[in-house]
């Protein structure tokens, strides 16, 4: 059923209020007053028509306008963060990376095409289930490509955190520029990766999640400050690769792959998990190639 004109007008008033005050603190009561409804009802119809809560909408709009500011002006990241009502550099960086797949610092230095949040006018809104049908989206599980690859004996250059268990916690602990540093290391065997370190490769007081890049055993370049190297033996990796996805859906792509591989049994390929020999890895999410993870394995009854 299409939304009533009364609902459309109310959401349009909230949109206008948000646009006018995007660089100010906003409350649900202020939005409700603009809509002419109670806070609960205003929030409900806003999500009904847009598919997201008012504050998710505000967050995405702020991030997109912040991205435009970073691209158009030589402005410090912290200044943009404060202009768009983020409490800290770290919080802004985490939110920006979650939305666009790269840090604001990296985007400011080398702007690349990203999918900005450009909300339609209220009169163009359709309920979320209709938008989903139009896009041909499906709730059925997607196909995961699986292969076994060989990794040679190698060095791993990495920067550890303290307690981080995932990417966003890691960024909060050590900053989000580690990837940028790793990408500049000459002679790397592969691209940088995020990693979940097994206990035997994790000194006491260091994080499960970290980031690094693999180089040949004879690599003798300069190790960046704050980084270290460890040696890894040859191993086999079972690589999972999901289907291509729209860049703004990278978190959904990761979740979908995790759900489908959670109980995966490598014995169907004649292998078993060998987690102590190397970290589990994730490649940078890139929509055109699908989300990719790898986990070490060894032949059964080797």
């Amino acid at each position: 059923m299409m939304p009533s004109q009364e609902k459309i007008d109310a959401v349009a008033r909230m949109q206008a209020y948000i646009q006018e005050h995007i660089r100010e603190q906003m409350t649900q009561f202020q939005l409700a007053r603009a809509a002419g409804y109670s806070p609960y009802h205003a929030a409900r119809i806003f999500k009904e028509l847009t598919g997201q809560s008012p504050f998710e909408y505000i967050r995405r709009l702020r991030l997109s306008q912040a991205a435009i500011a970073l691209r158009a002006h030589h402005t410090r990241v912290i200044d943009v963060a404060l202009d768009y009502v983020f409490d800290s550099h770290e919080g802004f960086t985490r939110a920006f990376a979650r939305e666009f797949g790269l840090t604001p610092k990296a985007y400011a230095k080398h702007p690349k095409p990203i999918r900005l949040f450009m909300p339609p006018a209220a009169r163009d809104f359709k309920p979320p289930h209709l938008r989903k049908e139009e896009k041909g989206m499906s709730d059925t599980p997607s196909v995961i490509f699986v292969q076994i690859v060989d990794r040679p004996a190698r060095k791993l250059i990495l920067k550890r955190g303290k307690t981080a268990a995932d990417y966003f916690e890691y960024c909060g602990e050590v900053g989000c520029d580690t990837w940028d540093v790793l990408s500049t290391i000459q002679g790397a065997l592969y691209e940088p990766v995020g990693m979940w370190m097994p206990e035997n490769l994790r000194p006491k007081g260091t994080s499960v999640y970290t980031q690094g890049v693999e180089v040949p055993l004879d690599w003798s370049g300069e190790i960046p400050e704050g980084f270290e190297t460890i040696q890894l033996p040859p191993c086999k990796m079972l690589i999972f690769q999901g289907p291509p996805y729209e860049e703004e859906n990278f978190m959904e792509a990761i979740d979908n792959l995790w759900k489908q591989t959670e109980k995966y049994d490598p014995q169907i390929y004649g292998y078993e998990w060998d987690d102590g020999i190397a970290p589990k890895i994730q490649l940078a999410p890139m929509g055109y190639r699908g989300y990719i993870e790898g986990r070490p394995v060894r032949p059964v009854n080797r």
Side-chain angles (χ1 to χ4, degrees):
M1 185 174 68
M2 296 300 293
S4 68
Q5 189 62 47
E6 184 179 353
K7 288 182 178 179
I8 291 174
D9 290 344
V11 173
R13 290 192 294 271
M14 284 189 278
Q15 274 192 300
Y17 185 91
I18 289 169
Q19 186 62 50
E20 184 178 353
H21 299 275
I22 195 65
R23 295 170 67 169
E24 304 170 17
Q25 291 284 359
M26 280 180 269
T27 69
Q28 185 63 53
F29 291 101
Q30 290 168 322
L31 294 177
R33 195 158 43 240
Y37 290 110
S38 70
Y40 170 80
H41 190 62
R44 187 177 66 79
I45 64 171
F46 193 97
K47 186 167 186 177
E48 177 186 338
L49 269 66
T50 69
Q52 53 200 315
S53 72
F55 289 101
E56 173 66 8
Y57 176 103
I58 291 168
R59 182 192 65 81
R60 295 190 66 199
L61 188 58
R62 281 176 174 156
L63 286 169
S64 289
Q65 293 196 7
I68 293 170
L70 287 169
R71 182 180 65 198
H73 311 291
H74 297 293
T75 308
R76 294 190 310 163
V77 171
I78 185 60
D79 292 335
V80 174
L82 296 176
D83 281 346
Y84 286 93
V85 206
F86 288 87
D87 293 333
S88 66
H89 183 291
E90 292 76 16
F92 175 59
T93 294
R94 286 195 298 271
F96 194 99
R98 189 181 299 117
E99 182 75 7
F100 301 121
L102 75 171
T103 67
K105 180 179 178 181
Y107 181 70
K109 289 173 67 175
H110 301 291
K112 69 173 188 177
I114 58 176
R115 189 179 293 275
L116 298 175
F117 176 55
M118 299 296 185
R123 65 179 58 90
D124 297 326
F125 288 151
K126 291 185 177 71
H129 72 280
L130 291 181
R131 294 198 304 274
K132 184 174 180 180
E133 290 171 359
E134 289 171 354
K135 292 181 179 180
M137 295 174 65
S138 173
D139 289 327
T140 59
S142 51
V143 176
I144 303 295
F145 178 67
V146 181
Q147 63 176 323
I148 304 289
V149 301
D150 288 299
R151 295 287 229 220
R154 61 217 184 272
K155 289 179 181 176
L156 172 64
I157 302 173
L158 71 161
K159 186 173 185 179
R160 300 183 190 270
K162 294 183 178 180
T163 62
D166 59 35
Y167 168 80
F168 296 110
E169 291 179 1
Y170 180 80
C171 278
E173 285 186 7
V174 304
C176 291
D177 58 351
T178 303
W179 206 277
D180 298 338
V181 176
L182 293 169
S183 298
T184 67
I185 292 177
Q186 299 295 312
L189 290 170
Y190 315 103
E191 65 186 88
V193 291
M195 299 173 290
W196 289 269
M197 304 298 288
E199 188 173 355
N200 61 301
L201 296 179
R202 180 162 51 94
K204 186 177 181 179
T206 62
S207 59
V208 172
Y209 185 88
T210 185
Q211 292 179 353
V213 69
E214 294 172 344
V215 296
L217 282 179
D218 61 357
W219 184 87
S220 58
E222 182 178 352
I223 300 172
E225 184 177 357
F227 290 69
E228 64 179 275
T229 63
I230 61 174
Q231 188 168 319
L232 297 175
C235 73
K236 295 183 180 291
M237 298 283 290
L238 192 153
I239 304 296
F240 297 107
Q241 183 173 6
Y245 58 88
E246 294 294 329
E247 293 290 349
E248 73 271 21
N249 295 330
F250 79 99
M251 288 300 296
E252 181 181 348
I254 294 173
D255 288 342
N256 285 341
L257 187 139
W258 283 353
K259 288 176 183 177
Q260 292 189 65
T261 61
E262 182 180 9
K263 298 180 180 179
Y264 186 86
D265 183 1
Q267 292 199 27
I268 64 175
Y269 282 90
Y271 291 88
E272 60 188 3
W273 301 123
D274 192 15
D275 292 318
I277 199 169
K280 175 184 172 182
I281 63 172
Q282 64 173 178
L283 278 63
M286 296 183 185
Y288 74 90
R289 68 182 183 185
Y291 175 63
I292 302 172
E293 280 194 358
R295 184 174 172 184
V297 293
R298 62 184 172 220
V300 175
N301 300 323
R302 182 177 61 180

Short mmCIF file of all heavy atoms in Angstrom, two decimals, residues 85-121:
data_model
loop_
_atom_site.label_atom_id
_atom_site.label_comp_id
_atom_site.label_asym_id
_atom_site.label_seq_id
_atom_site.Cartn_x
_atom_site.Cartn_y
_atom_site.Cartn_z
N VAL A 85 29.24 17.40 13.52
CA VAL A 85 28.69 16.98 14.80
C VAL A 85 29.15 15.58 15.21
O VAL A 85 28.39 14.83 15.83
CB VAL A 85 27.14 17.07 14.83
CG1 VAL A 85 26.63 17.25 16.26
CG2 VAL A 85 26.62 18.22 13.98
N PHE A 86 30.38 15.22 14.86
CA PHE A 86 30.98 14.02 15.40
C PHE A 86 31.84 14.42 16.59
O PHE A 86 32.55 15.42 16.54
CB PHE A 86 31.81 13.29 14.33
CG PHE A 86 30.96 12.64 13.28
CD1 PHE A 86 30.53 13.34 12.16
CD2 PHE A 86 30.56 11.33 13.42
CE1 PHE A 86 29.74 12.75 11.21
CE2 PHE A 86 29.76 10.71 12.46
CZ PHE A 86 29.34 11.43 11.36
N ASP A 87 31.79 13.63 17.65
CA ASP A 87 32.43 14.02 18.90
C ASP A 87 33.95 13.94 18.86
O ASP A 87 34.63 14.59 19.64
CB ASP A 87 31.93 13.14 20.06
CG ASP A 87 30.47 13.39 20.36
OD1 ASP A 87 29.99 14.51 20.09
OD2 ASP A 87 29.81 12.46 20.86
N SER A 88 34.49 13.11 17.96
CA SER A 88 35.94 12.91 17.96
C SER A 88 36.41 12.51 16.57
O SER A 88 35.63 12.05 15.73
CB SER A 88 36.34 11.81 18.96
OG SER A 88 35.83 10.56 18.54
N HIS A 89 37.70 12.68 16.35
CA HIS A 89 38.35 12.23 15.12
C HIS A 89 38.14 10.73 14.94
O HIS A 89 37.81 10.26 13.84
CB HIS A 89 39.84 12.57 15.20
CG HIS A 89 40.63 12.24 13.97
ND1 HIS A 89 40.87 10.94 13.56
CD2 HIS A 89 41.25 13.04 13.07
CE1 HIS A 89 41.59 10.96 12.45
NE2 HIS A 89 41.83 12.22 12.13
N GLU A 90 38.30 9.96 16.03
CA GLU A 90 38.21 8.50 15.95
C GLU A 90 36.80 8.05 15.59
O GLU A 90 36.61 7.16 14.76
CB GLU A 90 38.64 7.87 17.28
CG GLU A 90 40.11 8.02 17.60
CD GLU A 90 40.47 9.42 18.09
OE1 GLU A 90 39.55 10.19 18.47
OE2 GLU A 90 41.67 9.76 18.10
N GLY A 91 35.80 8.67 16.24
CA GLY A 91 34.42 8.30 15.94
C GLY A 91 34.04 8.60 14.51
O GLY A 91 33.36 7.81 13.84
N PHE A 92 34.48 9.76 14.01
CA PHE A 92 34.22 10.14 12.63
C PHE A 92 34.91 9.17 11.68
O PHE A 92 34.31 8.73 10.68
CB PHE A 92 34.71 11.56 12.39
CG PHE A 92 34.59 12.03 10.96
CD1 PHE A 92 33.36 12.07 10.32
CD2 PHE A 92 35.71 12.43 10.26
CE1 PHE A 92 33.25 12.51 9.00
CE2 PHE A 92 35.62 12.87 8.94
CZ PHE A 92 34.39 12.91 8.32
N THR A 93 36.14 8.81 11.97
CA THR A 93 36.89 7.90 11.11
C THR A 93 36.22 6.54 11.02
O THR A 93 36.09 5.96 9.95
CB THR A 93 38.34 7.76 11.60
OG1 THR A 93 39.01 9.02 11.46
CG2 THR A 93 39.11 6.71 10.81
N ARG A 94 35.77 6.02 12.17
CA ARG A 94 35.10 4.73 12.17
C ARG A 94 33.82 4.78 11.35
O ARG A 94 33.53 3.87 10.56
CB ARG A 94 34.80 4.29 13.60
CG ARG A 94 36.00 3.81 14.38
CD ARG A 94 35.58 3.06 15.63
NE ARG A 94 34.82 3.89 16.55
CZ ARG A 94 35.38 4.63 17.51
NH1 ARG A 94 36.69 4.64 17.67
NH2 ARG A 94 34.62 5.35 18.31
N ALA A 95 33.02 5.83 11.56
CA ALA A 95 31.76 5.95 10.83
C ALA A 95 31.99 6.12 9.33
O ALA A 95 31.28 5.52 8.51
CB ALA A 95 30.95 7.13 11.39
N PHE A 96 32.98 6.93 8.97
CA PHE A 96 33.28 7.17 7.56
C PHE A 96 33.75 5.89 6.88
O PHE A 96 33.31 5.55 5.77
CB PHE A 96 34.36 8.26 7.46
CG PHE A 96 34.54 8.86 6.09
CD1 PHE A 96 33.96 10.07 5.76
CD2 PHE A 96 35.29 8.22 5.12
CE1 PHE A 96 34.11 10.64 4.51
CE2 PHE A 96 35.47 8.77 3.86
CZ PHE A 96 34.88 9.99 3.55
N ALA A 97 34.64 5.15 7.55
CA ALA A 97 35.15 3.90 6.97
C ALA A 97 34.04 2.87 6.83
O ALA A 97 33.99 2.13 5.84
CB ALA A 97 36.28 3.36 7.84
N ARG A 98 33.12 2.83 7.80
CA ARG A 98 32.01 1.90 7.73
C ARG A 98 31.09 2.25 6.56
O ARG A 98 30.56 1.37 5.88
CB ARG A 98 31.23 1.92 9.04
CG ARG A 98 30.17 0.83 9.16
CD ARG A 98 29.42 0.93 10.47
NE ARG A 98 30.28 0.78 11.62
CZ ARG A 98 30.50 1.71 12.54
NH1 ARG A 98 29.91 2.89 12.43
NH2 ARG A 98 31.30 1.48 13.54
N GLU A 99 30.91 3.54 6.30
CA GLU A 99 29.99 3.98 5.25
C GLU A 99 30.60 3.83 3.85
O GLU A 99 29.92 3.41 2.91
CB GLU A 99 29.60 5.44 5.48
CG GLU A 99 28.61 6.01 4.48
CD GLU A 99 27.19 5.51 4.71
OE1 GLU A 99 26.95 4.83 5.72
OE2 GLU A 99 26.34 5.81 3.85
N PHE A 100 31.89 4.18 3.71
CA PHE A 100 32.48 4.28 2.38
C PHE A 100 33.60 3.29 2.09
O PHE A 100 34.08 3.20 0.96
CB PHE A 100 32.99 5.70 2.14
CG PHE A 100 31.94 6.76 2.26
CD1 PHE A 100 32.05 7.79 3.18
CD2 PHE A 100 30.81 6.73 1.46
CE1 PHE A 100 31.08 8.77 3.30
CE2 PHE A 100 29.83 7.70 1.56
CZ PHE A 100 29.96 8.72 2.49
N GLY A 101 34.07 2.55 3.11
CA GLY A 101 35.10 1.56 2.88
C GLY A 101 36.51 2.08 2.85
O GLY A 101 37.44 1.34 2.50
N LEU A 102 36.73 3.33 3.22
CA LEU A 102 38.07 3.89 3.35
C LEU A 102 38.03 5.02 4.36
O LEU A 102 36.97 5.55 4.68
CB LEU A 102 38.63 4.39 2.01
CG LEU A 102 38.11 5.70 1.42
CD1 LEU A 102 38.96 6.10 0.22
CD2 LEU A 102 36.66 5.63 1.01
N THR A 103 39.18 5.39 4.88
CA THR A 103 39.21 6.42 5.92
C THR A 103 39.06 7.80 5.32
O THR A 103 39.39 8.02 4.15
CB THR A 103 40.55 6.36 6.70
OG1 THR A 103 41.62 6.74 5.82
CG2 THR A 103 40.80 4.97 7.25
N PRO A 104 38.61 8.78 6.11
CA PRO A 104 38.52 10.14 5.59
C PRO A 104 39.88 10.69 5.20
O PRO A 104 40.00 11.45 4.23
CB PRO A 104 37.89 10.94 6.74
CG PRO A 104 38.00 10.07 7.94
CD PRO A 104 38.05 8.66 7.46
N LYS A 105 40.93 10.31 5.92
CA LYS A 105 42.28 10.77 5.57
C LYS A 105 42.68 10.24 4.20
O LYS A 105 43.21 10.99 3.36
CB LYS A 105 43.28 10.30 6.63
CG LYS A 105 44.72 10.73 6.36
CD LYS A 105 45.64 10.25 7.47
CE LYS A 105 47.09 10.64 7.19
NZ LYS A 105 48.00 10.14 8.26
N ALA A 106 42.43 8.96 3.95
CA ALA A 106 42.76 8.38 2.65
C ALA A 106 41.92 9.01 1.54
O ALA A 106 42.43 9.29 0.45
CB ALA A 106 42.54 6.87 2.68
N TYR A 107 40.65 9.26 1.83
CA TYR A 107 39.78 9.87 0.81
C TYR A 107 40.20 11.30 0.51
O TYR A 107 40.19 11.72 -0.65
CB TYR A 107 38.34 9.84 1.29
CG TYR A 107 37.37 10.43 0.29
CD1 TYR A 107 37.09 9.77 -0.90
CD2 TYR A 107 36.74 11.65 0.53
CE1 TYR A 107 36.22 10.31 -1.83
CE2 TYR A 107 35.87 12.20 -0.40
CZ TYR A 107 35.60 11.52 -1.58
OH TYR A 107 34.75 12.06 -2.49
N ALA A 108 40.59 12.06 1.52
CA ALA A 108 41.01 13.44 1.32
C ALA A 108 42.28 13.51 0.47
O ALA A 108 42.43 14.41 -0.36
CB ALA A 108 41.23 14.12 2.66
N LYS A 109 43.18 12.55 0.67
CA LYS A 109 44.43 12.55 -0.08
C LYS A 109 44.24 12.10 -1.52
O LYS A 109 44.85 12.64 -2.44
CB LYS A 109 45.45 11.64 0.62
CG LYS A 109 45.97 12.19 1.93
CD LYS A 109 46.83 11.19 2.67
CE LYS A 109 48.12 10.89 1.94
NZ LYS A 109 49.00 10.00 2.73
N HIS A 110 43.38 11.10 -1.71
CA HIS A 110 43.17 10.56 -3.05
C HIS A 110 41.67 10.29 -3.25
O HIS A 110 41.23 9.15 -3.15
CB HIS A 110 43.96 9.26 -3.23
CG HIS A 110 45.44 9.42 -3.06
ND1 HIS A 110 46.23 10.11 -3.94
CD2 HIS A 110 46.26 8.99 -2.06
CE1 HIS A 110 47.48 10.09 -3.51
NE2 HIS A 110 47.52 9.43 -2.37
N PRO A 111 40.89 11.34 -3.52
CA PRO A 111 39.45 11.13 -3.71
C PRO A 111 39.18 10.15 -4.85
O PRO A 111 39.79 10.23 -5.91
CB PRO A 111 38.93 12.53 -4.06
CG PRO A 111 39.95 13.47 -3.50
CD PRO A 111 41.26 12.75 -3.64
N LYS A 112 38.27 9.21 -4.59
CA LYS A 112 37.87 8.26 -5.62
C LYS A 112 36.36 8.22 -5.63
O LYS A 112 35.71 8.69 -4.68
CB LYS A 112 38.46 6.88 -5.33
CG LYS A 112 37.86 6.18 -4.12
CD LYS A 112 38.37 4.75 -4.01
CE LYS A 112 37.62 3.99 -2.93
NZ LYS A 112 38.03 2.58 -2.86
N PRO A 113 35.76 7.68 -6.69
CA PRO A 113 34.29 7.64 -6.71
C PRO A 113 33.75 6.82 -5.55
O PRO A 113 34.17 5.69 -5.31
CB PRO A 113 33.99 6.96 -8.05
CG PRO A 113 35.20 7.21 -8.89
CD PRO A 113 36.36 7.19 -7.93
N ILE A 114 32.85 7.39 -4.79
CA ILE A 114 32.16 6.68 -3.72
C ILE A 114 30.67 6.96 -3.88
O ILE A 114 30.27 7.96 -4.48
CB ILE A 114 32.65 7.11 -2.32
CG1 ILE A 114 32.45 8.62 -2.11
CG2 ILE A 114 34.08 6.71 -2.08
CD1 ILE A 114 32.83 9.10 -0.72
N ARG A 115 29.87 6.08 -3.32
CA ARG A 115 28.42 6.23 -3.45
C ARG A 115 27.90 7.08 -2.30
O ARG A 115 27.77 6.61 -1.17
CB ARG A 115 27.73 4.87 -3.48
CG ARG A 115 26.25 4.95 -3.84
CD ARG A 115 25.65 3.55 -3.86
NE ARG A 115 26.18 2.76 -4.95
CZ ARG A 115 25.70 2.79 -6.19
NH1 ARG A 115 24.66 3.56 -6.48
NH2 ARG A 115 26.23 2.04 -7.13
N LEU A 116 27.64 8.34 -2.59
CA LEU A 116 27.13 9.25 -1.56
C LEU A 116 25.65 8.99 -1.31
O LEU A 116 24.93 8.49 -2.17
CB LEU A 116 27.33 10.70 -1.99
CG LEU A 116 28.79 11.14 -2.20
CD1 LEU A 116 28.83 12.57 -2.74
CD2 LEU A 116 29.59 11.04 -0.92
N PHE A 117 25.21 9.34 -0.11
CA PHE A 117 23.81 9.20 0.25
C PHE A 117 23.06 10.45 -0.22
O PHE A 117 23.25 11.53 0.32
CB PHE A 117 23.67 9.03 1.76
CG PHE A 117 22.25 8.98 2.24
CD1 PHE A 117 21.36 8.04 1.71
CD2 PHE A 117 21.79 9.83 3.23
CE1 PHE A 117 20.05 7.99 2.16
CE2 PHE A 117 20.49 9.78 3.67
CZ PHE A 117 19.61 8.85 3.13
N MET A 118 22.26 10.30 -1.24
CA MET A 118 21.49 11.40 -1.80
C MET A 118 20.01 11.05 -1.68
O MET A 118 19.44 10.41 -2.58
CB MET A 118 21.87 11.64 -3.26
CG MET A 118 23.32 12.03 -3.46
SD MET A 118 23.72 13.62 -2.68
CE MET A 118 25.41 13.84 -3.20
N PRO A 119 19.37 11.41 -0.59
CA PRO A 119 17.98 10.99 -0.38
C PRO A 119 17.03 11.63 -1.38
O PRO A 119 17.19 12.80 -1.74
CB PRO A 119 17.68 11.48 1.05
CG PRO A 119 18.65 12.59 1.28
CD PRO A 119 19.88 12.23 0.52
N PRO A 120 16.04 10.87 -1.84
CA PRO A 120 15.05 11.44 -2.76
C PRO A 120 14.06 12.34 -2.03
O PRO A 120 13.99 12.33 -0.80
CB PRO A 120 14.34 10.19 -3.29
CG PRO A 120 14.42 9.22 -2.16
CD PRO A 120 15.75 9.47 -1.51
N ALA A 121 13.33 13.11 -2.81
CA ALA A 121 12.26 13.91 -2.22
C ALA A 121 11.19 12.99 -1.66
O ALA A 121 11.00 11.86 -2.14
CB ALA A 121 11.65 14.82 -3.29
#
